[in-house]
Amino acid sequence: MSKKSQPIFDRPPIYESIVFILYLCIGFIPNFEAIDKIAPQWLFMSILNIIVGVFILKNQNVYGSRISIHFKSVLTLFYSFFIFWGGVSFFYAINSTEVLVNVSRQFNVFFMYTNMAILLISINNKEKFFSWILTLILTIEVYSIFFQAIEMINTQGGIISGNLKGVTANRNIAAFSIAMKIPFVLYLITKRSLDKIKVLGLVIITLATTAILIIQSRASYLAIGLIVLAICFIPFLFFSQKNGHYKLRIILSVIIPLILSVFINQLFFASKGADAISRASTISFSTNDGSVNQRLRYYGHVLSHLKSNPIFGVGLGNWKFKSIEYDKNTMQGYIVPYHAHSDFLQLGAELGIIGFLFYSGIFILAIIFCLRILIEPSLKQEQKLFIYLTLLSLSVYLIDANLNFPIARPQVIVIWTLILSLISYYYHHNMNNDDFVKVKFQNNIKLYIMLILSLPTFFISYKVYGSLINQTLLLRDYNTNKYFTKLSQIDNMELNIPNVSVTTIPLQSIKAR
């Protein structure tokens, strides 16, 4: 196997490390007066993308070959086609403004993926660097969950699990954000003997699992089960030459934290309204379960629409309008099913079979890349183990993407983006892919196009942020049927991007009212 020669840096990768930390901390950005914290998070992502894009352009002598490899990658091409097809839906969408809002977000994620994939070449010992960074972020998220839970017990006498969201917007996001990071903690402790770092890692995994149990997001319980199952294969896949005691120790590194987590939950939190065993016992595919029945109903609506509209959907971000037609007999108040609780099915309804295949193709290619890396005989075992655990984290995301809507949440999507960039990097720089030619002119054109396109996406992100600040006031008055907001404030509100609330009420109508 041929290896890519690594560039010789005349400085430590301080700037690149800071960039990755800033990206991975996007989920900590608060509301800043917006009705939903995703608005300032998307805006921050847009600003950071532009800054990093300019940085890469100014340092082409370092990143030139990596830029060429990235833009010729079939994974990047599939991702580009998905963004393009989403943009095309502007011309047939129910609400074209919603397409602009959503395609700008998807472009920002693609730009973030591009920046990460390029900057990875400058990060030394990637396995430990990202495992440590994600472990530290995980620790903060877990602390936030426990802090909220204890505060609920002290003030209310019990835990309302539905309100346990930590630094995120809701409990599903919090649970999966935690679950996706656990495999990276496992990387730090898998190859270590019983030292301080391993003990610390086991404590963090125990607390992280306990946090997931008390959040009581049932979909995340499935993710924990997948993690436990996948870890049990590690001794036989990567340490087959080791003795049985060593293999058992690896398996126990995830079994013991799980047992301890259940014990802690039952001892301290079950009687306070967060009984994980009782909650887990309700997991079923029965339509008698309200949540399951709702999801199955949503899936049925999407499939019915997709069957009658296989090529063109309703437009990116427009399912919430079409869903009203299907779900009008079961809707309560003005709350519409604005997400189908499956990113794949929803994108099929919004972009047709073509959009569905492009988006699914991103995941299929990532999995194929991982499998090819894992069977490559000349790659180091620790790198294979890291990719295996990265693939496990991607699998956790797949559970989330099939039961919830992580594509709309920067908190989780940023981890997914890092996973894609890592898989792409390891594949192209460790397999036989030396035939890429560094062409500075072509690289400049591609980067300039990215930067030019990022300007309108920044403008849209800024407008959405302003709109969600205004919606905080408008929806408060609308829901209470009282008028606290000054008329002069309302007169100055710009409500064109987006032009509807998250529940599809036209904002100009609320303003007029």
Side-chain angles (χ1 to χ4, degrees), residues 490-501:
I490 294 176
D491 283 340
N492 293 324
M493 287 182 180
E494 294 185 14
L495 303 170
N496 297 321
I497 303 178
N499 53 17
V500 296
S501 71

Side-chain angles (χ1 to χ4, degrees), residues 394-497:
L394 177 63
S395 301
V396 171
Y397 180 88
L398 276 168
I399 294 176
D400 195 18
N402 278 287
L403 295 172
N404 297 304
F405 39 93
I407 195 173
R409 294 291 175 178
Q411 175 85 25
V412 180
I413 204 73
V414 68
I415 307 299
W416 175 77
T417 309
L418 175 64
I419 289 169
L420 281 189
S421 61
L422 283 168
I423 291 171
S424 178
Y425 178 88
Y426 274 83
Y427 177 75
H428 290 297
H429 281 260
N430 291 289
M431 307 300 288
N432 293 318
N433 290 288
D434 301 71
D435 55 341
F436 293 101
V437 179
K438 174 182 172 182
V439 183
K440 185 174 182 180
F441 176 76
Q442 292 182 6
N443 289 344
N444 282 341
I445 291 296
K446 293 167 185 174
L447 289 173
Y448 277 122
I449 290 174
M450 294 284 288
L451 286 170
I452 291 170
L453 291 175
S454 69
L455 296 178
T457 64
F458 163 74
F459 173 76
I460 291 171
S461 299
Y462 177 76
K463 296 290 285 186
V464 171
Y465 172 54
S467 176
L468 265 65
I469 292 176
N470 292 331
Q471 287 184 49
T472 302
L473 304 174
L474 290 174
L475 293 178
R476 178 198 63 188
D477 291 1
Y478 183 85
N479 291 326
T480 60
N481 200 29
K482 295 180 181 179
Y483 303 98
F484 298 104
T485 310
K486 295 179 180 179
L487 191 59
S488 58
Q489 271 184 284
I490 294 176
D491 283 340
N492 293 324
M493 287 182 180
E494 294 185 14
L495 303 170
N496 297 321
I497 303 178

Side-chain angles (χ1 to χ4, degrees), residues 227-238:
I227 291 172
V228 172
L229 180 63
I231 296 302
C232 291
F233 286 103
I234 285 181
F236 308 100
L237 292 173
F238 301 100

Side-chain angles (χ1 to χ4, degrees), residues 65-73 76 110 113-114 117-118 424:
S65 61
R66 179 62 193 144
I67 296 169
S68 298
I69 292 172
H70 173 73
F71 282 112
K72 291 182 180 180
S73 169
T76 302
F110 175 74
Y113 156 70
T114 295
I118 293 171
S424 178

